[in-house]
Amino acid sequence: MSHSIELFERAQQVIPGGVNSPVRAFQAVGGNPLFLQRGEGAYIYDVDGQRYIDFVASWGPLIHGHCHPAIVKAVLEQAQQGMTFGAPTELEIQLAEKITQLVPSIESVRMVNSGTEATLSAIRLARGVTGRAKILKFAGCYHGHHDALLVKSGSGALTFGVPTSPGIPESVVSDTLVADYNNLDQVTQLFGDYGNEIAAIIVEPIAGNMGCVLPQDGFLAGLRKLCDEHGSLLIFDEVISGFRVAMGGAQELYGITPDLTTLGKIIGGGMPVGAFGGKRDIMAEISPTGPVYQAGTLSGNPLAMAAGLATIQELQKDNFYPEMASRTEYFVDGIQERADDANIPLHTHYVGSMFGMFFTAAKQVRSLDDVMACDSERYAQFFNAMLKAGVYFAPSAFESAFVSALHNQTVLDDALDAFENVFTNLK
Ligand code: KE4
């Protein structure tokens, strides 16, 4: 019996579903979740010593691959100085200065410990600043698991086909409006009905939690215009896309300036982290300078700050993003070619070093409805066949995949060979 199977049986005795986050449970793809032992560059190793090329990257943080020496060194050195103080450190200023320098719309930023904390704080701030209650989100976008936004969400909430979770009082979600991603007409209609009640729109400028769905031309600009017309705030949830698709995130790539941005994943280099930030006058409303309360025992944690600073330092090396984009283009074009040659209906999207694969003959995938029409059964077959071939993708069709700086030509070509074999034998 594989050690993963033994560990999963043990884990289920003391952890709900044997996992600390549902999407890891492999329920959408069947079989036993792999228990991992270590990572090295583009590879992960399970507890049986099996090696896999990793395209999950811990759901996005590991843009430099596993165990990057500079990041590990920064964390180890800081750990010897102190793990946490619950008091300010210069590290927090340094990371805040980096973020405000590299993401111009962020003039002031507050660190938290997860993407969920970042978005729940941003929502509370938007409601506090505007005095309004309603929030508009998009079906298939996932902003973490807090009540107000766990409505028609993506990622794990979608994987289980229960987009709106039990345990959330109707009173909470009655202020959450939902539109289809890329559907400006619906958003315009909702503003017509509730305009002066809407505190904010929160959107993933690149929807990374229903596969990887790209904004259609004019969509993000339309959201910006509607917010300006109705005095609502525009919140870009860049927990995935921040520092992933460009140094300044999707807002740099698409040239749209949000009022607030949430970040996570990459800015922590693999340590637990989140952040929310934006215009100085809006952020000044956050405690202790303003009345909107928000707090966290480990916020700005020195280890996470050290890892984040080392991560960003590596991102600032010459030509990082163009190189990552061209590798990803080469790779995803190679996937598409191999699917076409094997007559497998597949639609692919990529931007920067994130990409998505949809088993569908449709020529466009623009919204949750389009995604739900794709063949998730075939994704499960694909996932398991690739796993056997030593390539690790998300155990859910409703996630994005990621190329790291350590996915060099050899690694990508090895993965493409696995795609060719798997597509040839996919029934
Ligand atoms: P966390 O609370 O999981 O750190 O972040 C929530 C979050 C917020 N916003 C966006 C755009 C996100 O993608 C996420 C979390 N991403 C998922 C994977 N797509 C987390 C994986 C998991 O739930 O285990």
Side-chain angles (χ1 to χ4, degrees), residues 71 74-85 89 91 267-272 298 300-310:
I71 299 169
V75 173
L76 290 177
E77 284 176 357
Q78 179 51 44
Q80 276 141 10
Q81 300 299 312
M83 309 280 281
T84 179
F85 305 107
T89 65
L91 285 167
I267 64 164
M271 295 295 290
L298 294 173
N301 172 270
L303 300 186
M305 299 299 100
L309 282 164

Side-chain angles (χ1 to χ4, degrees), residues 108-365:
S108 174
V109 60
R110 169 65 58 86
M111 304 309 295
V112 294
N113 300 282
S114 70
T116 296
E117 262 194 87
T119 59
L120 76 83
S121 305
I123 293 296
R124 182 181 307 138
L125 176 57
R127 286 171 158 162
V129 163
T130 60
R132 300 176 179 181
K134 290 198 173 351
I135 296 293
L136 195 159
K137 78 174 289 283
F138 294 91
C141 284
Y142 178 72
H143 305 288
H145 63 89
H146 52 103
D147 286 356
L149 294 179
L150 204 55
V151 176
K152 286 192 185 296
S153 294
S155 184
L158 196 57
T159 302
F160 295 84
V162 185
T164 300
S165 165
I168 298 178
E170 180 51 38
S171 58
V172 170
V173 294
S174 60
D175 282 324
T176 306
L177 305 171
V178 184
D180 289 332
Y181 198 74
N182 279 317
N183 191 323
L184 265 184
D185 290 345
Q186 284 181 1
V187 182
T188 305
Q189 180 63 52
L190 286 168
F191 267 96
D193 297 342
Y194 303 100
N196 61 0
E197 297 175 58
I198 298 175
I201 292 177
I202 185 165
V203 64
E204 290 182 67
I206 297 163
N209 286 291
M210 45 173 157
C212 176
V213 175
L214 307 182
Q216 300 290 298
D217 287 351
F219 175 60
L220 298 176
L223 300 182
R224 177 69 274 173
K225 183 164 175 290
L226 283 163
C227 283
D228 291 342
E229 287 166 358
H230 294 273
S232 306
L233 300 187
L234 179 59
I235 303 173
F236 270 11
D237 180 354
E238 298 223 43
V239 166
I240 290 182
S241 55
F243 295 94
R244 169 61 65 176
V245 298
M247 187 67 88
Q251 56 195 271
E252 175 187 302
L253 208 59
Y254 297 111
I256 303 292
T257 302
D259 300 298
L260 289 173
T261 299
T262 54
L263 297 169
K265 298 184 193 271
I266 288 176
I267 64 164
M271 295 295 290
V273 78
F276 64 102
K279 292 180 182 154
R280 198 180 303 283
D281 60 335
I282 296 176
M283 292 301 291
E285 295 301 305
I286 279 281
S287 177
T289 45
V292 180
Y293 195 68
Q294 186 279 332
T297 303
L298 294 173
S299 296
N301 172 270
L303 300 186
M305 299 299 100
L309 282 164
T311 297
I312 292 178
Q313 201 149 15
E314 292 301 316
L315 293 175
Q316 292 181 291
K317 292 209 168 140
D318 280 355
N319 209 37
F320 182 86
Y321 287 98
E323 172 57 28
M324 294 294 286
S326 74
R327 277 191 211 179
T328 307
E329 181 180 17
Y330 164 81
F331 184 57
V332 180
D333 285 353
I335 295 170
Q336 189 66 64
E337 274 157 36
R338 286 158 178 78
D340 297 346
D341 292 349
N343 295 317
I344 299 280
L346 184 78
H347 186 79
T348 51
H349 287 156
Y350 61 87
V351 54
S353 52
M354 64 189 280
F355 64 98
M357 298 171 285
F358 303 94
F359 287 94
T360 178
K363 289 293 162 254
Q364 295 207 74
V365 176

